[in-house]
Amino acid sequence: QMMSVCVGEDVPAEYVAVLREEMGFQSPTIPEVTQDNREKFTVIIGAGLSGIAAAIQLQRLGQPYIILEKNDALGGTWYENTYPEAGVDTPNHFYSFTFASEYDWEHYFSKQPEVLKYLHWVAERESVTEHIRFGAKVTGSTWNEDSNSWETRVDGPNGSETIVSDLVVTAVGQLNQPKLPEIPGLETFKGSIFHTAQWPGDIDLAGKRVALIGSGASAVQAARSIAATASSLTVFQRSPQWLMPNPDYLRSVSEAKRRLIREVPYYAAWYRFTLFWRYADGLLPTLQIDPAWEDSDRSINAVNDSHRRFLTRYMEKKLEGRPDLLEKALPDYPPYGKRMVVDNDWFDTLLRENVELVTDGVAEVSPSGVRTDRGDDRDFDVIIFATGFQATRMLGPLNFLGRGGRSLHEYWNDDDPKAYLGMTVPGFPNLFLLLGPNTALAHGGSVIFHVEAQVSYVAKCIAELINSGCNTLEPTEEACTQWTDAVAAAHRAMVFSHQGMSNWYKNSKGRVVTVSPWRLVDYWSWTREPDFEKLVLA
């Protein structure tokens, strides 16, 4: 009743249990290990937010672990992506762990330095940092059927070694391998050339002619700062994006608001709930394709069409008097077909005198710049790729050899990853994938929500392994197939699968493999307790 009054609409009873945990009124159940003197040693790969969450869960379970991190500091994507104005597009007071939600955020939507500072705060408070081995690059892992253990190969400052563990948890995420387009002549360019995820710390763009290739989330975030420094900025746009205005996006949290969150009992919990309700499951029904909807090229249902009208009006207002820019910037596909981008003064940036939006493709790179597919030669001092990540090639260069020496990448046919609940794979015992196939979020919500659901599930699986006296756990082939088929069927009815739509959610075969089609409450309920009828313990 209180939730319904708070948001002015009916909140179904099915949300009560999950929101008790999300709001901090009830702690998630920690499984009990009943067998004395039995421990399962775990290797966690990656010290980003999911690796930190896994470590904390293992500590609470009383199990030993080590985190192997290729970088020289923790943070994962929030350590690596230092391009100008890199930041969250989910409110911080929701994009935070339930067990560390009292953090005193300075902004509603924080930029990279503040998010990284938060992750350090959590890791140090929970004594995780001392378990991290930095500069440890994992190259792969092999299952030893004789000893029922994983043998993980690691390259470090002192050479190569193999670490043996009972379990492996991958915490490398989906957005960790930058994607560069295959453009002839990249190696010939005489200026600076790099991906936004590999931003040089010493780059100075003052007075430079800059080409920004791409117009997605990272481009929208970085362009404003680049344009304010460079002598000129040319944005090469392959396809336009729908941009969502948010008055809080660039705002600091007032001292009055921060005091409310810090000092007024339950204020922070209820504020977090309102963010959950606004930014999570409420949008999902509007992303379902209505088969009877006639104007299916521009929208997929009546509500989606209203979204299109609202976003179009916003764009028309921002670009008033510039029909040339409006024609280039207005998408011809339904809203939410690609990742929705929060407006970081993108349209204001495009209106600057030193900024040009180009819709011609880049045919090749020359020593002095680029040549478009229309044959125009343009000179630049710096070329920046804002072209996203190889999200469908999960685990990147890491390869796992499971039972019988079977390669996980071969099982996945390179870019067709599949896993039961997005976490476990048949034939690869005691291997857990965090933020694996179809567990990222595109319809709303915080990825941290899914991470916490997953690490809780992993802990309960480990506890069952120990308490049952078994050595291995993996899903049945049937469970994995049924889950994958259910995900595919759900996605076929959603905007992400809209005819002709290209996005980073789909693999080369057109199957959506990265994001989830489910409500957060559904995934939470499915991962709350492992279904051991779909798992094999031996």
Side-chain angles (χ1 to χ4, degrees), residues 17-202:
V18 61
L19 284 166
R20 278 178 177 160
E21 291 187 5
E22 186 65 22
M23 297 167 70
F25 296 145
Q26 178 177 314
S27 298
T29 303
I30 303 297
E32 182 180 0
V33 176
T34 58
Q35 294 290 334
D36 295 334
N37 302 317
R38 291 216 55 198
E39 293 182 337
K40 295 290 186 182
F41 177 57
T42 300
V43 162
I44 300 172
I45 304 174
L49 64 87
S50 55
I52 293 169
I56 292 169
Q57 194 66 254
L58 287 172
Q59 286 179 173
R60 293 175 178 174
L61 193 61
Q63 296 301 301
Y65 69 92
I66 187 173
I67 301 179
L68 303 176
E69 171 55 55
K70 69 180 189 301
N71 294 320
D72 57 7
L74 63 82
T77 190
W78 293 112
Y79 172 79
E80 295 176 354
N81 286 266
T82 60
Y83 61 85
E85 303 198 55
V88 296
D89 56 10
T90 303
N92 293 123
H93 298 88
F94 183 23
Y95 190 89
S96 51
F97 295 112
T98 56
F99 55 83
S101 61
E102 71 277 21
Y103 192 74
D104 188 17
W105 292 103
E106 297 177 21
H107 299 87
Y108 289 100
F109 292 82
S110 290
K111 300 303 182 183
Q112 177 264 347
E114 189 175 7
V115 180
L116 185 61
K117 182 180 178 182
Y118 170 74
L119 293 178
H120 275 276
W121 176 76
V122 172
E124 291 165 10
R125 189 185 77 164
E126 301 290 337
S127 302
V128 169
T129 310
E130 60 202 62
H131 295 271
I132 305 174
R133 184 182 297 182
F134 295 109
K137 183 178 180 180
V138 175
T139 58
S141 192
T142 301
W143 176 252
N144 187 317
E145 298 193 45
D146 294 329
S147 60
N148 288 317
S149 61
W150 283 101
E151 298 174 350
T152 301
R153 300 175 296 282
V154 186
D155 290 338
N158 300 318
S160 301
E161 64 176 309
T162 298
I163 298 178
V164 178
S165 64
D166 300 291
L167 307 107
V168 170
V169 174
T170 68
V172 299
Q174 295 184 5
L175 306 180
N176 55 74
Q177 298 294 317
K179 180 173 65 177
L180 290 173
E182 296 181 359
I183 302 175
L186 286 177
E187 70 287 351
T188 69
F189 185 61
K190 299 299 184 183
S192 299
I193 185 168
F194 52 88
H195 191 280
T196 51
Q198 299 165 328
W199 195 274
D202 59 351

Side-chain angles (χ1 to χ4, degrees), residues 197-276:
Q198 299 165 328
W199 195 274
D202 59 351
I203 191 71
D204 182 5
L205 299 180
K208 300 293 176 61
R209 299 165 298 175
V210 178
L212 182 61
I213 300 177
S215 58
S218 58
V220 169
Q221 290 179 345
R224 186 176 72 153
S225 290
I226 297 173
T229 303
S231 65
S232 67
L233 170 63
T234 304
V235 179
F236 287 89
Q237 172 187 276
R238 185 177 64 175
S239 62
Q241 307 289 327
W242 287 110
L243 268 66
M244 177 68 71
N246 190 311
D248 288 335
Y249 188 61
L250 297 173
R251 287 177 57 205
S252 298
V253 183
S254 69
E255 180 53 38
K257 181 83 167 183
R258 292 170 71 175
R259 185 175 180 185
L260 285 172
I261 292 171
R262 287 194 308 265
E263 300 181 19
V264 176
Y266 306 117
Y267 182 92
W270 284 99
Y271 178 54
R272 186 179 177 98
F273 162 65
T274 64
L275 295 176
F276 176 97

Side-chain angles (χ1 to χ4, degrees), residues 240-242 286-287 289 293 295-301 304-305 307-308 311 331-340 494-501 503:
Q241 307 289 327
W242 287 110
T286 72
L287 305 185
I289 297 173
W293 187 250
D295 199 1
S296 58
D297 287 339
R298 54 177 282 125
S299 55
I300 58 168
N301 57 48
N304 186 250
D305 197 61
H307 291 158
R308 182 185 186 93
L311 296 172
D332 61 0
Y333 55 85
Y336 296 95
K338 296 178 183 285
R339 175 183 176 180
M340 183 63 71
M494 297 187 71
V495 67
F496 313 130
S497 300
H498 185 267
Q499 186 177 6
M501 179 65 62
N503 50 45

